[in-house]
Amino acid sequence: MNTVHCIGELLIDWVCEDASSDLVNGTTFVKKAGGAPANVAAVVSKHGGSSSFLGQVGADPFGRFLKQTLVDNGVGVENLVEEGDTTFAFVSIQEDGERDFTFRRGSDGDYAFESIDLSAFKPGDIVHFGSATALLDGELKNAYFKLLQFAKRDGLFVSFDPNYRDALVTDLEAFKQDSLHFIAEADFVKLSEEEAHLLTGLDDLDEAVASLLEAGAKRIAITLGSRGTLIATKDVKAIIASVKIDSVDSTGAGDAFVGAYLYRLSTLGMDDDRLLQDIEYANVTGALTCTAYGAIPAIPTQQRVLEALGGKPA
């Protein structure tokens, strides 16, 4: 079994439980563990794989809560640093179903490459770059790029999800260039439909996919919401359907998709003949995550995913 190493932010999601409310009018907030790379790591472990988290939380009660959450979910925390203040995100679901959120950034951006014990990485491991905050200026961004160099040098599998958040990105062109740098080096890229158009500047999705493949991505998954996921390689292009659900909170759904897919790769190995089956498994995992509040707490068990797939074997 290979390990999935996820670098980036681990934070507190303060989730508004007032129905159809924005952050201006919301009053009831519940503390949940979140952060895109942490969500991915939790899915891998919760489904029976091996994962580790690389990042920084505060040396405060919230940081201790987050560390314990990872431990409780089987995620390795050897490369977790506790220093400074914990990052917060406030999230609500508005009347139109879209998320309203804002960040209060703590010390996650201070995570340094020198904090990483590189002996934890072994041949066949996967490195996932999926942080919403890592491409903002700071020490974490330096660590992100240095770890990419290390992963490519050692022949590790590279996964990338830009996790674009317009509320965070102040220099869009720099964000696009940094994202395209990772896409060119990645073995697997997960994008939303919005991100595919944003990063390529192309309105036609097929043209955007072709552009991303030409840029160097080996496998591209573009999540299309209720329509499923478009998966593309140089030889294959298909849309894989998901399952119908009653969504209450889409926070972490994309991360759950990525985590489920990387779980399959880390435990079953890379097999092009299994690609569509792997994406179907990831689709269902992401969809079921939307049926509960929060990110890590909402991750479905593997048994629940298999039941939704009609009992198909893992």
Side-chain angles (χ1 to χ4, degrees), residues 44 56 74 87 98 101 198 223-224:
V44 173
Q56 185 162 321
T87 298
E98 292 299 313
F101 63 90
L198 177 74
T223 50
L224 306 174

Side-chain angles (χ1 to χ4, degrees), residues 264-276:
R264 299 274 292 189
L265 293 189
S266 65
T267 56
L268 302 177
M270 176 76 76
D271 184 350
D272 288 338
D273 293 335
R274 205 187 59 239
L275 174 60
L276 302 187

Side-chain angles (χ1 to χ4, degrees), residues 115-135:
S115 300
I116 303 172
D117 177 7
L118 298 177
S119 68
F121 298 81
K122 62 182 185 298
D125 280 357
I126 295 169
V127 185
H128 176 63
F129 300 87
S131 170
T133 66
L135 295 183

Side-chain angles (χ1 to χ4, degrees), residues 126-186:
I126 295 169
V127 185
H128 176 63
F129 300 87
S131 170
T133 66
L135 295 183
L136 307 178
D137 288 338
E139 199 59 42
L140 175 60
K141 181 175 179 178
N142 295 330
Y144 213 63
F145 276 84
K146 289 178 181 179
L147 186 60
L148 176 65
Q149 291 179 329
F150 169 80
K152 297 301 292 185
R153 186 196 72 192
D154 279 31
L156 304 178
F157 186 98
V158 171
S159 169
F160 176 64
D161 179 354
N163 275 302
Y164 172 70
R165 298 289 184 266
D166 59 0
L168 294 177
V169 176
T170 56
D171 188 337
L172 181 57
E173 285 306 310
F175 174 83
K176 289 167 66 174
Q177 290 305 310
D178 289 339
S179 295
L180 290 171
H181 176 81
F182 274 83
I183 287 170
E185 301 288 350

Side-chain angles (χ1 to χ4, degrees), residues 88-312:
F88 289 169
F90 296 84
V91 186
S92 69
I93 308 300
Q94 302 176 107
E95 191 172 356
D96 60 3
E98 292 299 313
R99 285 183 294 172
D100 185 21
F101 63 90
T102 186
F103 280 85
R104 293 294 181 268
R105 197 175 194 192
S107 65
D108 73 274
D110 298 330
Y111 188 68
F113 180 73
E114 291 70 26
S115 300
I116 303 172
D117 177 7
L118 298 177
S119 68
F121 298 81
K122 62 182 185 298
D125 280 357
I126 295 169
V127 185
H128 176 63
F129 300 87
S131 170
T133 66
L135 295 183
L136 307 178
D137 288 338
E139 199 59 42
L140 175 60
K141 181 175 179 178
N142 295 330
Y144 213 63
F145 276 84
K146 289 178 181 179
L147 186 60
L148 176 65
Q149 291 179 329
F150 169 80
K152 297 301 292 185
R153 186 196 72 192
D154 279 31
L156 304 178
F157 186 98
V158 171
S159 169
F160 176 64
D161 179 354
N163 275 302
Y164 172 70
R165 298 289 184 266
D166 59 0
L168 294 177
V169 176
T170 56
D171 188 337
L172 181 57
E173 285 306 310
F175 174 83
K176 289 167 66 174
Q177 290 305 310
D178 289 339
S179 295
L180 290 171
H181 176 81
F182 274 83
I183 287 170
E185 301 288 350
D187 298 289
F188 174 68
V189 177
K190 179 267 175 188
L191 303 168
S192 68
E193 191 169 3
E194 175 194 11
E195 290 165 342
H197 295 307
L198 177 74
L199 295 177
T200 63
L202 298 169
D203 294 329
D204 183 88
L205 187 57
D206 289 334
E207 292 179 4
V209 169
S211 175
L212 292 166
L213 289 171
E214 186 176 349
K218 311 298 188 300
R219 290 182 172 191
I220 300 171
I222 300 179
T223 50
L224 306 174
S226 61
R227 289 146 52 209
T229 300
L230 188 156
I231 182 70
T233 71
K234 63 182 180 63
D235 299 316
V236 174
K237 187 167 73 172
I239 293 180
I240 309 302
S242 187
V243 292
K244 294 185 181 300
I245 50 118
D246 292 322
S247 178
V248 299
D249 181 11
S250 62
T251 304
D255 305 325
F257 171 92
V258 174
Y261 179 69
L262 297 182
Y263 155 74
R264 299 274 292 189
L265 293 189
S266 65
T267 56
L268 302 177
M270 176 76 76
D271 184 350
D272 288 338
D273 293 335
R274 205 187 59 239
L275 174 60
L276 302 187
Q277 183 181 351
D278 290 342
I279 295 299
E280 183 183 21
Y281 181 93
N283 265 354
V284 172
T285 304
L288 293 177
T289 300
C290 297
T291 62
Y293 286 103
I296 291 177
I299 296 167
T301 63
Q302 184 183 74
Q303 183 59 38
R304 189 177 173 207
V305 173
L306 295 177
E307 288 172 357
L309 285 166
K312 295 179 183 178

